[in-house]
């Protein structure tokens, strides 16, 4: 099921819908929202910035209007913090705030820019099955990426600036891997 976030007015309103865990929440026209966004288990939140595809009964189909900012320079903006959830995906946004994932499993963040002037840009704590792919991170008062006790697959991570470490990894627990 598709759920256009604009019809719900905000991403938070779309995520509050009872169908959010089994829906694709898509922002086909970009825009900017001032809100903290907390994903729910199973949620898929996509913007029109990167090319976005979905599986249908007719095979893989590109979502209308997607691919508007494949270089990530003009993504839809979220001015607030983003919190990930189990089995969720967050793709194609420019976040001014922190993106965090704590104590969850199997999530993906891709094609996203995170700029946090007040702390760490991305923090992963006690997570399994995390995938971070094509991220541009910066922090005015912390790290670009903090990985603390996490299994995570990293691909194409760029830290443009950080007042602390660009990437910090603290994995003291057993069975933890950063690829």
């Amino acid at each position: 099921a598709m759920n256009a976030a604009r019809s719900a007015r905000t991403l938070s309103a779309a995520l509050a819908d009872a169908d959010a865990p089994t829906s694709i929440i898509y922002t086909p026209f970009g825009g900017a929202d001032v809100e903290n966004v907390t994903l729910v288990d199973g949620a898929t939140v996509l913007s029109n910035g990167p090319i976005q595809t979905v599986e249908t009964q007719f095979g893989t189909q590109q979502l209308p209007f997607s691919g508007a900012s494949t270089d990530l320079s003009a993504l839809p903006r979220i001015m607030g913090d983003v919190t990930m959830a189990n089995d969720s995906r967050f793709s194609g946004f420019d976040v001014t705030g922190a993106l965090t994932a704590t104590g969850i499993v199997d999530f993906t963040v891709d094609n996203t820019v995170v700029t946090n002037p007040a702390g760490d840009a991305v923090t992963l704590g006690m997570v399994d099955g995390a995938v971070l792919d094509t991220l541009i991170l910066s922090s005015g008062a912390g790290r670009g990426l903090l990985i603390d006790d996490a299994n995570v697959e990293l691909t194409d991570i760029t830290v443009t600036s950080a007042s602390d470490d660009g990437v910090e990894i603290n994995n003291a627990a057993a069975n933890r891997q950063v690829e």
Side-chain angles (χ1 to χ4, degrees), residues 90-102:
F90 184 77
S91 176
F93 291 89
D94 184 338
V95 177
T96 300
L99 187 141
T100 60
T102 305

Side-chain angles (χ1 to χ4, degrees), residues 159-175:
V159 178
T160 58
S161 66
S163 65
D164 199 327
D165 298 323
V167 177
E168 182 176 325
I169 301 171
N170 301 312
N171 272 350
N175 298 319

Side-chain angles (χ1 to χ4, degrees), residues 46-120:
L46 309 175
S47 85
N48 66 325
I51 294 171
Q52 304 283 13
T53 59
V54 294
E55 291 301 319
T56 72
Q57 67 269 31
F58 305 109
T60 303
Q61 300 293 316
Q62 182 175 330
L63 290 177
F65 310 110
S66 73
S69 180
T70 57
D71 66 355
L72 310 185
S73 65
L75 297 172
R77 297 195 57 184
I78 295 173
M79 289 157 280
D81 297 333
V82 175
T83 304
M84 298 301 295
N86 293 303
D87 303 307
S88 63
R89 179 173 175 219
F90 184 77
S91 176
F93 291 89
D94 184 338
V95 177
T96 300
L99 187 141
T100 60
T102 305
I104 62 172
V105 298
D106 301 330
F107 65 93
T108 299
V109 180
D110 64 274
N111 295 293
T112 293
V113 176
V114 182
T115 303
N116 188 356
D120 298 333

